[in-house]
Amino acid sequence: MTPRPLLSIVIPVSGDDATVATALESAIAQSLVDIEIICVDDASTDGTAGVLERFRLRDPRVRVVRHERNLSAFQARRTGILAASADRVMFLDGDDELTPDAAAVAVAKAEETDVDIVGFGVTVIERDGRTGSPYEVRLQPPQHPHAGDDVLRALFPVGKPAQGQLWRFLFRTSVLREAYSLVPDDLVLPRINDLPLLFLVAILAESYAAVPDKLYRYHFGRGGSGHRVDTLERARFYTGAIRSVDAIGSAVEALATAHADPSLVRDTYASVRFSIIGYVCFQLVEHSDEGMLDGALAHLHTVVSGPDIIHAAARFYPATLKALRFHTTWQGLPDRPARSILLVTSTLRTGGVSAVLTSQARYLHEAGYRVTVVARNGGSDATVLPAGIPFVELTSRRLPAQLTQWAEICRAHEVDVVIDHQLLYTDTWPEFALVARAEGAATIGWLHNFVARPVYDGNDRLTLIERCSPTLAQLITLSPLDVAYFRLRGIENVAYLPNPPSPLMLESAARTGAKTPPSDRLELVWWGRLEQRTKQVRELVEVGVQLRALGVPFTLRIVGPDWDDVTAKRLNALARRRGVGDAVVAVGPLRGAALVSAIDSADAFVSTSIIEGYQLTIAEAQARGLPVFMYELPWLTLVQDNQGVVAVPQGDARGLAARLAETLADPEGYRQLSLASVDAARRARDQDFAQLYREVVTGELSPMYSPEPTLDDAGRLLGLLVFFAQRADGRSVSSADSSTWGQRAWQSAAPLGRATLRRIPGLQPLAHRAKGWLGAR
C-alpha cells in the first residue's frame, strides 16, 4: 500500500503555458520528497495541457485533473482539495514559484504545533524584477500564534485592508473541505477567488502558527492584477472581486448565527467587504485609461451602492476620494429626522464666517438640536460659542488623517447633517462631504460671498463647487442672483438665505427714530478688517480726497484691525500723502462700547467694497440709524428695496463724495435716509432665523428661496462675471492688450453663457454683443 504523502501541493492552472513549467519545476525540486502535486487544468485552450502531461510522465508525484469547461480557480482549487491525499495542503499558482525548502519548513511547523493554518513569508517580484515593495511588506503573515477567535482577528483585522491570498499559508485539508461544503458546488468566482475560501477557513480554524521564512515567490502582474482598465470588460473583471465576497454572505451568516460571538464574524466580514470595494475603486481610479473612468465607475455603481462605495473608499483608500468627488450621484437629506448637526469652519474667530456659524449654533441649539462645531485648522477661540456647544479641532494637518478623524467625529456625535462653511476657502471640502455621507450624514454647503468671488480671485473653486455639487444635499447662497447662477448651470439643489443678525444689531433693536441731520460737518465712519482685495480700504482715502475737492467739511474714521498688506499706519501715511491726513484717520480696532460710540458719533457709513456676500456692517450701521453710502453691489439682498442706501458705480469716488455732500444741504432728505435705514435693519433683524434653519436641515425650505432664473438675472450675471474677470488681474478694458484680456474674460464667462442660452435662448443677441465688445470673436 502506497503511504500517504505529507503534503499535497494544489496548482490551479488556466492558460499558463508560458509560466507553468517554472512553477512545476519549483514544486518538483522541493527538499521534502514525500509530497504530491495536483495540477487542476481549468479547461485551458493553449499549450498548458501538454506541459502538464510532460511533467506527469516525468515525475509520478505529479497528478493532473482536467475540467471540461472553465469553472474558475475557485472550483479548480476545490477539485484539487477533494483529490488531495495528504492531511495538509499548500497552494501554488501557475505563474509563481516555491522556494526549494517551502514544503519542508511549512510541514515541520505544522507537525510541531499541530495547527490548522501555518503562515509564511512571501517575496513579491515586480515586473522589472525588483522586490521589497510596500505590497510585499503587507503580505507578510502575522507571526504570533493564535487560537480560537483570534485566528479570524489575526488574519482579517477589522479596519485593515483585507489580504486573502491562499498561497501564503499551509492548511489542514479537512478544514478546507469543511469551508467548501458551506458554499454551492457550482459557485464560479472569476475574480478574487481565494479570499472567500480563506475567510471561511479563518472562521472555522482553531489554531494558527507561522514561520518568518519567505517561502513563496509571487510574480506581480502576471495574472489579473495591476493591468490597465482600457475596456469596460476589464472594469467588469475588477468589479468581479466584489461579487466574490458577496457570494459567501449567506455562508458567513450561517457561521455567525452558530458562533459564540456573532458580532465578531459579521463585523469582520463587513470590514473585509468594504476593504474589497475600496480596493476595486482604487484599481479603477488608478488604472483606468483616459476616457474610461466615467464608464468604469458607472459600472461600479451597478454592482454596489453609492454609499457603500464612498464608505469603502473613505475607510480604506481615502486618496481615491479626490477622483470620486467628480463621479458621484446626488443624494438628499437622510430619511430619518435630523437631530445632530455639525457646523464646520476653518478657524473659529470673532466676526465674518465665524459670527454666522456662532449664530447658527445658537439658533439650532435653542431649537433642540445637538450641535457640534468643528474647526479644520488650529488657532480657534472657542469662547465665542454659546454655552453647551461642544467644540472639536482636527488634530492632524494631513488630509488622510483628517478624513479618518472626520469619520470618527460623525460616528461619535451620531451626526445627521453637516453644514460646511468653507466651500469658497478650501479645495478638499468634497472629500469631507463624501466621508460624512459614508457615515450616514448629509452635507449642506454654505457660501459666504458672491458667486463671482472665485473668478475675481483667479482660482477654480467655482468650477469645483459646480462639479462636486452632487456631494452636497443642499447648497445655500446669500442672494437670488447666486441661485440664478447655479440653476442656470443645472444645479437645482440650491437656495439663498440672508445672514443672521449680529449681537450689535440685536442690541440696537430699541432704536426707532432718525438721527439728527448733520449741520456744518459730515462725520463718517467705516469698520471692518483693513483688507484691500475685496474691501478696497484705500478707496476710502480717495473718497476723502474727493470730498475735500468739493469743499465739504468732514472727518472719516476708519476702524479695524490690520490685514495682509494694509495697516492703520500705512493707511494714515497714504491719507497724508493725498493731503487728507487731518480728516481721514485709521484708528485701529474698536470693540464693544467703544465701537458703538464711534458709530453713534457718525452721520453716515461709507463702503467701497468691490465684492461681498452679505455685508453685515451695512445692516449694523443701519441698525444705529446711519444712512449708507457705497459702491454698487447689486446682488446684495441687504441693499435691495432699501431706501436707506445710496449707491454709485464701482470706483466712482467723486460720485460717492457728491452724494455725501448733498446730505449737508438736505436735512429732511437725511432724516428720510436715516428712518429708512432703521426700517431696513428691523426687516433684516426680524426674520425667523430659527425657523429658517430648521427648514434647511429638514429639507422643508420654501421654494421662494430658490427662484427660477430670469432673463434679467442672466444678463446681470454675464455682466458681473465679465467685470470681475477684468478686475481679477487689475486691468481695464481700455488697456493696450484689451483683446487678450477680452479673450480671457469671455472664457471665464463662457460656461455660464452657454448654460444661460440653453435655458433662455432670447439672450443670444446680448451674448453676441458682449463677445464682440470683448474682442473675443
Side-chain angles (χ1 to χ4, degrees), residues 411-424:
R411 290 194 296 271
H413 293 269
E414 299 179 318
V415 175
D416 300 304
V417 176
V418 177
I419 300 179
D420 194 333
H421 289 268
Q422 290 296 300
L423 267 66
L424 281 174

Side-chain angles (χ1 to χ4, degrees), residues 189-224:
L189 302 178
R191 175 71 173 147
I192 305 250
N193 43 60
D194 45 2
L195 183 147
L197 181 62
L198 180 61
F199 188 80
L200 296 174
V201 169
I203 300 173
L204 295 168
E206 293 293 333
S207 51
Y208 167 88
V211 294
D213 312 61
K214 293 183 178 181
L215 306 180
Y216 194 92
R217 293 172 60 80
Y218 170 62
H219 289 272
F220 181 79
R222 280 187 179 176

Side-chain angles (χ1 to χ4, degrees), residues 489-696:
R489 297 291 285 149
I491 299 168
E492 296 298 327
N493 55 316
V494 59
Y496 80 93
L497 285 181
N499 273 345
S502 67
L504 176 57
M505 291 179 65
L506 296 174
E507 293 164 6
S508 306
R511 178 181 289 276
T512 57
K515 286 182 67 73
T516 302
S519 54
D520 56 359
R521 185 182 188 86
L522 275 177
E523 300 291 341
L524 307 176
V525 69
W526 178 95
W527 68 95
R529 62 180 184 270
L530 302 186
E531 194 255 340
Q532 179 62 24
R533 178 71 179 164
T534 62
K535 298 186 181 299
Q536 299 189 131
V537 290
R538 295 190 186 101
E539 279 288 299
L540 294 168
V541 175
E542 185 60 30
V543 173
V545 170
Q546 296 302 323
L547 282 168
R548 178 144 294 173
L550 293 172
V552 178
F554 78 99
T555 60
L556 172 53
R557 184 183 294 189
I558 302 173
V559 179
D562 297 345
W563 204 266
D564 295 333
D565 61 337
V566 181
T567 65
K569 182 178 180 180
R570 289 177 179 174
L571 206 56
N572 288 330
L574 175 62
R576 288 193 297 271
R577 289 196 301 273
R578 299 286 285 143
V580 291
D582 60 321
V584 179
V585 181
V587 300
L590 298 176
R591 296 182 178 86
L595 177 59
V596 173
S597 176
I599 295 170
D600 286 347
S601 65
D603 301 310
F605 174 74
V606 181
S607 173
T608 52
S609 290
I610 189 171
I611 193 166
E612 297 271 5
Y614 191 89
Q615 193 173 351
L616 192 58
T617 50
I618 292 176
E620 290 177 335
Q622 292 194 304
R624 306 303 297 183
L626 294 184
V628 173
F629 293 79
M630 61 183 291
Y631 287 169
E632 287 177 344
L633 301 175
W635 59 87
L636 287 187
T637 55
L638 277 172
V639 306
Q640 293 163 12
D641 300 320
N642 189 334
Q643 302 304 310
V645 171
V646 176
V648 302
Q650 277 288 328
D652 187 6
R654 185 169 183 82
L656 196 59
R659 298 303 302 273
L660 282 163
E662 292 173 4
T663 59
L664 280 176
D666 186 6
E668 182 56 30
Y670 178 88
R671 286 192 191 91
Q672 293 303 316
L673 285 172
S674 180
L675 284 172
S677 284
V678 172
D679 184 60
R682 177 190 57 77
R683 294 197 306 271
R685 183 174 52 239
D686 288 351
Q687 296 194 63
D688 190 346
F689 284 93
Q691 179 61 27
L692 286 175
Y693 292 153
R694 280 195 296 269
E695 292 173 359
V696 168

Side-chain angles (χ1 to χ4, degrees), residues 332-588:
L333 293 165
D335 293 335
R336 63 184 183 276
R339 295 185 176 90
S340 178
I341 313 296
L342 199 66
L343 303 180
V344 189
T345 188
S346 174
T347 303
L348 194 62
R349 302 186 179 98
T350 58
V353 172
S354 294
V356 176
L357 182 147
T358 301
S359 293
Q360 281 183 355
R362 175 170 53 82
Y363 283 121
L364 290 167
H365 182 64
E366 291 173 354
Y369 294 98
R370 298 197 309 271
V371 179
T372 305
V373 174
V374 177
R376 291 195 179 105
N377 297 324
S380 290
D381 178 10
T383 63
V384 302
L385 288 174
I389 306 292
F391 173 73
V392 181
E393 191 174 275
L394 297 188
T395 54
S396 176
R397 296 297 166 258
R398 296 180 63 252
L399 182 61
Q402 285 188 329
L403 295 177
T404 298
Q405 188 179 359
W406 192 254
E408 293 168 353
I409 292 169
C410 289
R411 290 194 296 271
H413 293 269
E414 299 179 318
V415 175
D416 300 304
V417 176
V418 177
I419 300 179
D420 194 333
H421 289 268
Q422 290 296 300
L423 267 66
L424 281 174
Y425 314 115
T426 178
D427 294 330
T428 58
W429 63 264
E431 284 91 319
F432 286 90
L434 289 175
V435 170
R437 180 189 290 186
E439 299 300 330
T443 297
I444 296 171
W446 212 282
L447 300 189
H448 286 271
N449 214 306
F450 180 48
V451 73
R453 176 64 187 270
V455 175
Y456 180 53
D457 288 344
N459 62 53
D460 60 356
R461 285 179 179 154
L462 185 55
T463 300
L464 182 67
I465 293 169
E466 291 181 36
R467 292 187 63 192
C468 297
S469 63
T471 66
L472 301 172
Q474 181 78 34
L475 179 63
I476 299 295
T477 68
L478 289 171
S479 81
L481 205 56
D482 293 293
V483 171
Y485 175 88
F486 287 110
R487 295 201 66 175
L488 286 167
R489 297 291 285 149
I491 299 168
E492 296 298 327
N493 55 316
V494 59
Y496 80 93
L497 285 181
N499 273 345
S502 67
L504 176 57
M505 291 179 65
L506 296 174
E507 293 164 6
S508 306
R511 178 181 289 276
T512 57
K515 286 182 67 73
T516 302
S519 54
D520 56 359
R521 185 182 188 86
L522 275 177
E523 300 291 341
L524 307 176
V525 69
W526 178 95
W527 68 95
R529 62 180 184 270
L530 302 186
E531 194 255 340
Q532 179 62 24
R533 178 71 179 164
T534 62
K535 298 186 181 299
Q536 299 189 131
V537 290
R538 295 190 186 101
E539 279 288 299
L540 294 168
V541 175
E542 185 60 30
V543 173
V545 170
Q546 296 302 323
L547 282 168
R548 178 144 294 173
L550 293 172
V552 178
F554 78 99
T555 60
L556 172 53
R557 184 183 294 189
I558 302 173
V559 179
D562 297 345
W563 204 266
D564 295 333
D565 61 337
V566 181
T567 65
K569 182 178 180 180
R570 289 177 179 174
L571 206 56
N572 288 330
L574 175 62
R576 288 193 297 271
R577 289 196 301 273
R578 299 286 285 143
V580 291
D582 60 321
V584 179
V585 181
V587 300

